[in-house]
Amino acid sequence: MFDLFLQFLSNTGYFLADYRHYVMIVVGCIFLYLGTAKKYEPLLLVPIGFGILVGNIPFFKGFGIGIYEPNSVLHYLYFGVTSGVYPSIVFLGLGAMTDFSSLLAQPKLMLLGAAAQMGIYFTLLGALFFGFDPKEAASIAIIGGADGPTSIFLTAKLAPHLIGPIAIAAYSYMALIPVIQPPIMLLLTSKKERLIKMPPSRNVSKKELLIFPVAGVLLCCFLAPTALPLLGMLFLGNFLKECGVVNRLANTAQSAIIDTATIFLGFTVGCSTQADVFLTPKALGIFFLGAVAFSIATASGLIFAKIMNLFLKQKINPLLGAAGVSAVPGSAREVHLMGLKEDPTNFLLMHGMACNSSGVIGSAICAGILWSFFI
Amino acid sequence: MIGIENITNNNGWAMAAVGAAIVFMGLVVLTFVISQIHKILKLWEEREKYLDRFKKKAPAVEGDEFEVPIYKECRLPTVDELANTYRPLVEKLKEPFVLSQLFEIASKIDLPHPHLSIQRLQEADILVAQGDGTFTWNNLIGNEGLNNV
């Protein structure tokens, strides 16, 4: 009887755990704390944080329990990540939730979304410089797009063994926008520039909103067909919303479908951070390069906005460049708050959303381009 | 392998440059297209107005082609006719006279193209230069007409 008890004890998590599991459990708890107490991107950090806890409970291998073991329940759920299904579904919901009217009213703001993608390509060079292989480097670089689903999608295609660290890095930096972006904004803009007021946007007609997803999917996907799983779904979702005749579908896409996909995406990505897979020198490198990517993306947008101002009669507030990363709506909100801090009557939220929307499209195109380089 | 060598060996420079150029180009094209959507829609919605304008203009062009007689009306008078018109004016002036006086009288009574007409009379030797800036009327030609010379 005592032997049976000892055998049971030897199979418990307490017995199997080593310090790495505890480190990851602490990381999971930090995510839960940031999501619930600080309300930093709670929709993402809560499922990921809980996933980290679940994924790092030690277990006896060979019983089909862990996420990396074939035929386990978690493995089946994880299939949605590795196949790129969840990111596509999230993009469908995102399209159904996005209002492109601010972008259509001021198309020039789309260029800021393009400029912010430069962070991706600088980081590609940086990752190669530090010795990552090209596919890993491309997967790390896409963190600069500040788009979780896009990062996961590309990593699943190019470097599936890095999904955990890259997803955690991407979502962490998205959650830490209020910490990362403001110092860069303050550093690269003057007070006078931050006080620039944006003119009110013109009214956008229903027809324009209807034509945009059709024109967008045709132009972008003809250019980068590999972005089809993301942009096709994004623009489909947006067309469902704007056409006005399938409200049931649009409502489902922007609520139940995206919520379900987000739960499974966040939870399984969290589970994939098993200590033995996650705590490696490569993961540290990914976190470092992710921070660099995110910072360069923010700086690129700000600098490009200042360059645009050299040629524009109606100046744009360069803070909007920081919203060119596709962290919707976090970066637009941060730009808005920074603008309000300088001048309580300066409302930049809708203009920031225009840059954000453009950033989503831009980072998906970048993912398609990077993937196509390795086909 | 690390460093610049790893970037070069893995074609990193080209991937970064081409990738950045493609995404920028793509979004610039999309920017241009979406900036034109409302203009194209406006054109489409007001197509009747533009078509009407086009339709109205078209017959006017055809009409102009048929109104060739306009050129007939605008034909220049012969030198004889000019001499008959200008002789009474010269008679009012004291010979020799300066051309500006003749021009002034012709303009006052609204004779068409006085400058051109005086030049033609000069070329036909009806108005004869005296060498001191003044002119006289050549009675031989001016009174009887060129056809009689």
Side-chain angles (χ1 to χ4, degrees):
Chain A
M1 198 173 89
F2 187 67
D3 287 345
L4 185 65
F5 182 65
L6 284 179
Q7 191 189 341
F8 174 77
L9 272 184
S10 67
N11 287 335
T12 60
Y14 299 108
F15 186 82
L16 295 168
D18 64 29
Y19 76 95
R20 294 176 303 175
H21 293 105
Y22 295 119
V23 169
M24 287 310 297
I25 287 169
V26 170
V27 171
C29 290
I30 291 172
F31 269 55
L32 288 175
Y33 170 75
L34 290 175
T36 50
K38 295 286 180 183
K39 294 192 171 58
Y40 287 171
E41 302 286 343
L43 295 175
L44 301 169
L45 292 197
V46 169
I48 291 176
F50 209 85
I52 294 174
L53 295 186
V54 171
N56 284 284
I57 292 172
F59 56 87
F60 200 84
K61 287 188 178 164
F63 287 105
I65 298 168
I67 199 164
Y68 294 112
E69 291 186 304
N71 299 324
S72 72
V73 174
L74 289 177
H75 187 76
Y76 284 120
L77 290 177
Y78 194 47
F79 175 76
V81 175
T82 53
S83 61
V85 170
Y86 294 151
S88 294
I89 296 175
V90 169
F91 262 64
L92 174 75
L94 197 61
M97 292 164 86
T98 306
D99 180 4
F100 284 109
S101 57
S102 52
L103 181 63
L104 287 165
Q106 295 190 74
K108 66 181 173 224
L109 294 182
M110 183 170 260
L111 297 177
L112 298 178
Q117 307 311 317
M118 295 308 114
I120 292 175
Y121 296 102
F122 277 109
T123 311
L124 174 71
L125 296 175
L128 286 170
F129 185 88
F130 284 110
F132 284 92
D133 80 42
K135 287 185 177 178
E136 289 175 341
S139 303
I140 295 166
I142 202 71
I143 298 174
D147 193 330
T150 305
S151 303
I152 291 168
F153 178 81
L154 185 67
T155 310
K157 300 297 172 192
L158 296 181
H161 57 288
L162 295 181
I163 284 181
I166 286 177
I168 297 294
Y171 282 121
S172 303
Y173 294 132
M174 283 167 68
L176 290 173
I177 281 174
V179 179
I180 297 172
Q181 286 201 319
I184 302 171
M185 292 185 209
L186 288 171
L187 188 70
L188 293 177
T189 56
S190 65
K191 187 172 176 66
K192 192 182 164 192
E193 285 172 325
R194 292 195 291 273
L195 286 170
I196 294 175
K197 282 197 174 183
M198 296 295 291
S201 302
R202 70 175 173 84
N203 287 331
V204 174
S205 72
K206 189 77 186 164
K207 284 178 185 167
E208 278 180 82
L209 290 169
L210 258 179
I211 290 171
F212 175 69
V214 178
V217 75
L218 291 176
L219 281 171
C220 298
C221 294
F222 266 84
L223 182 70
T226 37
L228 202 53
L230 296 175
L231 288 179
M233 297 299 265
L234 177 81
F235 287 120
L236 166 66
N238 190 245
F239 193 83
L240 293 178
K241 172 179 177 276
E242 298 300 348
C243 70
V245 292
V246 286
N247 288 338
R248 274 174 49 202
L249 302 186
N251 289 337
T252 310
Q254 63 185 242
S255 54
I257 287 181
I258 192 171
D259 290 348
T260 309
T262 303
I263 290 170
F264 287 128
L265 180 70
F267 180 67
T268 51
V269 162
C271 287
S272 72
T273 62
Q274 279 183 10
D276 51 340
V277 180
F278 190 81
L279 285 181
T280 60
K282 266 192 178 175
L284 286 177
I286 289 167
F287 270 84
F288 169 71
L289 286 165
V292 171
F294 203 83
S295 304
I296 294 177
T298 304
S300 306
L302 289 165
I303 293 168
F304 192 77
K306 287 160 78 97
I307 294 172
M308 278 174 75
N309 275 348
L310 297 176
F311 303 98
L312 292 173
K313 278 184 187 169
Q314 172 70 53
K315 307 289 182 204
I316 55 175
N317 191 316
L319 288 177
L320 291 170
V325 297
S326 65
V328 184
S331 53
R333 191 174 52 216
E334 207 49 49
V335 165
H336 177 68
L337 292 175
M338 178 72 80
L340 281 182
K341 204 183 283 179
E342 297 292 341
D343 174 3
T345 61
N346 198 4
F347 301 102
L348 298 171
L349 187 63
M350 289 317 290
H351 303 92
M353 284 302 293
C355 303
N356 253 182
S357 319
S358 143
V360 172
I361 298 169
S363 62
I365 293 177
C366 284
I369 292 168
L370 288 172
W371 186 17
S372 68
F373 283 156
F374 299 102
I375 286 176
Chain B
M1 194 190 303
I2 60 165
I4 301 288
E5 197 183 355
N6 195 35
I7 299 176
T8 309
N9 286 350
N10 288 300
N11 216 15
W13 302 112
M15 279 198 291
V18 172
I22 293 173
V23 73
F24 220 91
M25 191 185 70
L27 288 182
V28 165
V29 171
L30 189 58
T31 302
F32 175 74
V33 169
I34 65 174
S35 68
Q36 300 305 310
I37 291 176
H38 71 283
K39 293 177 188 168
I40 295 167
L41 279 173
K42 193 182 171 200
L43 198 71
W44 175 252
E45 280 158 7
E46 295 177 359
R47 62 188 182 282
E48 293 298 333
K49 199 173 88 182
Y50 291 108
L51 282 174
D52 286 348
R53 197 181 293 175
F54 181 73
K55 281 173 190 168
K56 277 176 194 167
K57 267 189 177 175
V61 172
E62 285 170 13
D64 285 351
E65 284 175 2
F66 287 107
E67 286 176 17
V68 178
I70 286 172
Y71 293 102
K72 287 180 186 171
E73 284 176 10
C74 288
R75 73 175 178 81
L76 291 171
T78 63
V79 176
D80 283 350
E81 286 166 344
L82 279 178
N84 288 335
T85 308
Y86 276 78
R87 192 171 53 244
L89 303 184
V90 171
E91 283 169 2
K92 289 182 185 173
L93 296 170
K94 196 177 176 184
E95 285 192 289
F97 53 88
V98 290
L99 290 183
S100 59
Q101 289 176 305
L102 182 60
F103 180 83
E104 203 177 318
I105 297 171
S107 298
K108 267 186 188 171
I109 59 170
D110 287 327
L111 285 180
H113 312 295
H115 188 270
L116 186 63
S117 304
I118 291 170
Q119 190 186 352
R120 289 182 66 199
L121 290 172
Q122 231 183 306
E123 285 165 0
D125 288 333
I126 296 173
L127 288 174
V128 183
Q130 298 301 301
D132 57 355
T134 58
F135 287 79
T136 54
W137 186 263
N138 185 344
N139 286 316
L140 273 176
I141 305 172
N143 292 351
E144 296 169 16
L146 283 172
N147 295 337
N148 300 327
V149 176

